[in-house]
Amino acid sequence: MMNFRLIVASLIKILADSSNNCFRVVGAQTMGRAAEETLGDLRLINVFHRAGQPQRESSAYAAGPIQELDSFQIEFTVTGDVKIDLDVLDNLSATPFEIANALETAKLAASVANDSLDELMELVLQILMDPRNRDMGMSRGIVGNRWITERRKDDPVEHGEFVVLTGVLVLTLLVEEQITGAPVLGTGSINKITLDGVGDNVEQTSVKVNS
Amino acid sequence: MADLNLREQAESDLGDTLEGEFALPVVLIGPGGITQTVNGQVLYDTIELNSDTGEPIVVNKPNVTLRRSSLTRIPVAGEVWFVEIPRDPNRTAELDKYVMTGDKPPAGGRSLGTITLYLQKATQV
């Protein structure tokens, strides 16, 4: 399996292991959900591979490692409800002033959702850019570099009783991939290129065909 | 009783259409902390179209439509109100607490003498 697929699973595991029950993580894009499914700490993160950009000099003739820039989309969905002192309604001795004060200090659902998404994005960014996660859960050398190339928040949308807010974070990684041929093509020998630099005992540059 | 023109008659009919046999009790508590209980049309969900697929979907979207002339104070956009409605379409059912906020302002209906309040879920701070 190519590394970009393994990295998706690894990203999900890294985020899930660090979630501390503050959010949920799933792979792939989901088709739809009810707003209350992402309320409070049920806020949801979707992780999936968005795009890959192989290096242009990579030769189709070669069977060695290639590098590509892979973008992984991390989508956030949070739901906000109104935060207000409801207990005042059950307090039979509450004065109109106390009730008015509860209404005055209510935190609106859009504001609740906004704060929740900010907190979630901060959390995820800190997890992904943590130096301890520089390999993204892969073997050393598979992932070369990492960038957060986009971080965006959408407009809040009113969904029935709730307000839903979504956002996106795009993580781009420099990833090494191996071209090993597809099983459907059979097991015959394929071209290999090794590098043999002059005076370099480590890197080899020679061409071997059907070795 | 003075003769009513058609508009006045239509507003008068709200006593039957909104506050009649189909009505449920609605408790409103406004920014001044004053409580008023009226009868009105209570809907718990609506049918909306999925903008991506055109498919109709049922959305949990409680809202109440009230007769303006029955209210001692009429909610306006930007205000926060407590609104309590029966949990089930039953006049004696336990009341659930909701709020109306500036996130979803009340809808007009002024030409007909009505106002619709969209209710939001609220949790204790």
Side-chain angles (χ1 to χ4, degrees), chain A residues 36 81-90 96 99-100 102-103 106 108-110 158-163, chain B residues 29-33 59-62 80-82 97-99 101-104 119-125:
Chain A
E36 57 194 322
D81 60 356
V82 181
K83 301 294 183 196
I84 196 168
D85 181 11
L86 288 171
D87 288 346
V88 73
L89 294 180
D90 296 324
I99 296 173
L103 291 166
L108 303 192
E158 170 264 334
H159 276 293
E161 307 165 292
F162 304 103
V163 170
Chain B
I29 305 173
V59 179
N60 197 23
K61 191 176 189 176
V80 180
W81 286 63
F82 282 122
K97 301 177 181 69
Y98 290 89
V99 287
T101 73
D103 281 340
K104 183 69 178 176
L119 312 186
Q120 290 184 295
K121 203 83 171 175
T123 52
Q124 178 68 27
V125 282

Side-chain angles (χ1 to χ4, degrees), chain A residues 6-25:
Chain A
L6 297 174
I7 289 173
V8 171
S10 185
L11 286 173
I12 292 170
K13 184 174 188 311
I14 288 171
L15 291 171
D17 288 349
S18 308
S19 72
N20 199 25
N21 294 324
C22 290
F23 56 84
R24 296 176 298 134
V25 191

Side-chain angles (χ1 to χ4, degrees), chain A residues 108-171:
Chain A
L108 303 192
S111 175
V112 171
N114 182 67
D115 289 353
S116 177
L117 183 55
D118 279 349
E119 181 189 77
L120 184 58
M121 281 183 150
E122 177 186 334
L123 206 51
V124 168
L125 189 145
Q126 290 293 336
I127 292 169
L128 294 179
M129 299 308 286
D130 188 312
R132 289 166 291 188
N133 287 329
R134 64 178 171 170
D135 294 319
M136 293 297 160
M138 306 293 287
S139 302
R140 177 62 46 89
I142 299 295
V143 175
N145 286 304
R146 56 185 164 169
W147 304 268
I148 302 289
T149 45
E150 185 180 352
R151 199 167 83 229
R152 171 171 51 80
K153 194 188 293 179
D154 302 317
D155 292 330
V157 178
E158 170 264 334
H159 276 293
E161 307 165 292
F162 304 103
V163 170
V164 174
L165 185 58
T166 54
V168 166
L169 185 149
V170 178
L171 173 71

